[in-house]
Amino acid sequence: MASRRSLRRLAATVVVTVAATASLAACGGTGDRAAPAPAPASPGGTGAPGPSVSGQSANQDPARFAPQVLEHAGRAKVDAQLLMAILYNESYKPHDPALERAWQRMKPDSAFGIANMHKAAFDDTKQGRDFANRSWDELPDDPDLAVEAAAWFLHDLAKGLPQQTSGPYTRDELLALGYNAGAGNMSAIARGTKPGPQAQSYLDRLRANWAKAGEAVKR
């Protein structure tokens, strides 16, 4: 017969799992829409985009990570405003460590951390970097690591972006599309391919978040 302590643990797990399901479902259903995929022509996620978080409280506003964004964007030589705008885009779901892990137990391919990164993308990005000995499952508890990984992922995307591009998009916009839709799709859009609905929605929200991202990283 199970002990009382075991039963209490089981009950707690059920409560957290149910809460994770309800909260993430309210934020768009999949919980992994925006995680980057480094392989060519690999879309960033499978679900429809979740709604942006509105009326964010101070402890949910990505602007609180401005010092980390400025530090890691500088080291990776990417635009701090772009990195912050991506954090705003990725704030469509609550980034609570317990909630993220409960959701991941039900959906193993979900993304982790404030930048919504998949394990394969993190493991590729960390190679040869200062955080090479870190693990993807540390992301929910370590926003600094999440920002650092996102900055270097953008750095790697930039290396694959052609110098001459076709279409109405800035380099930062193309990198954001790569973050959302994958390097292959980014390159195709840079050559003139029209973004799909999901990528266009991501770009629209990036543009909507651009000004406040700039304010957040203003020195």
Side-chain angles (χ1 to χ4, degrees):
M1 182 178 294
S3 67
R4 290 183 179 180
R5 180 175 298 177
S6 297
L7 290 173
R8 284 197 297 268
R9 287 178 179 171
L10 177 60
T13 300
V14 170
V15 169
V16 170
T17 300
V18 170
T21 303
S23 182
L24 285 170
C27 292
T30 63
D32 64 345
R33 171 205 44 77
S42 289
T46 58
S52 298
V53 173
S54 59
Q56 290 167 320
S57 62
N59 67 348
Q60 290 295 323
D61 188 344
R64 71 193 190 280
F65 300 118
Q68 294 94 324
V69 167
L70 287 165
E71 176 185 356
H72 294 304
R75 289 182 178 178
K77 293 181 170 52
V78 298
D79 185 353
Q81 187 172 2
L82 168 63
L83 182 55
M84 179 59 76
I86 285 174
L87 293 188
Y88 271 107
N89 269 33
E90 302 302 336
S91 66
Y92 69 95
K93 72 177 185 181
H95 292 291
D96 174 80
L99 189 153
E100 287 193 27
R101 288 193 169 90
W103 183 252
Q104 194 266 344
R105 284 194 290 273
M106 295 182 293
K107 189 174 178 61
D109 63 343
S110 58
F112 266 175
I114 60 170
N116 284 340
M117 185 168 280
H118 282 292
K119 186 177 188 303
F122 179 81
D123 288 346
D124 283 348
T125 303
K126 75 178 185 178
Q127 299 302 316
R129 303 263 155 75
D130 291 344
F131 56 102
N133 64 339
R134 303 294 298 275
S135 173
W136 169 76
D137 58 14
E138 297 178 63
L139 290 176
D141 302 296
D142 194 338
D144 182 75
L145 176 62
V147 173
E148 183 176 17
W152 284 105
F153 187 84
L154 289 169
H155 169 91
D156 292 347
L157 284 173
K159 289 170 62 177
L161 194 62
Q163 290 299 315
Q164 299 295 326
T165 62
S166 300
Y169 308 109
T170 67
R171 286 185 70 83
D172 281 343
E173 288 176 342
L174 288 168
L175 291 175
L177 288 167
Y179 193 91
N180 173 249
N185 286 328
M186 176 192 73
S187 296
I189 294 169
R191 294 192 298 268
T193 300
K194 183 178 179 181
Q198 183 175 314
Q200 184 61 54
S201 174
Y202 196 82
L203 179 60
D204 292 343
R205 284 184 291 115
L206 184 91
R207 290 169 173 170
N209 288 325
W210 193 253
K212 64 182 176 182
E215 286 296 317
V217 295
K218 187 181 295 183
R219 294 182 184 273

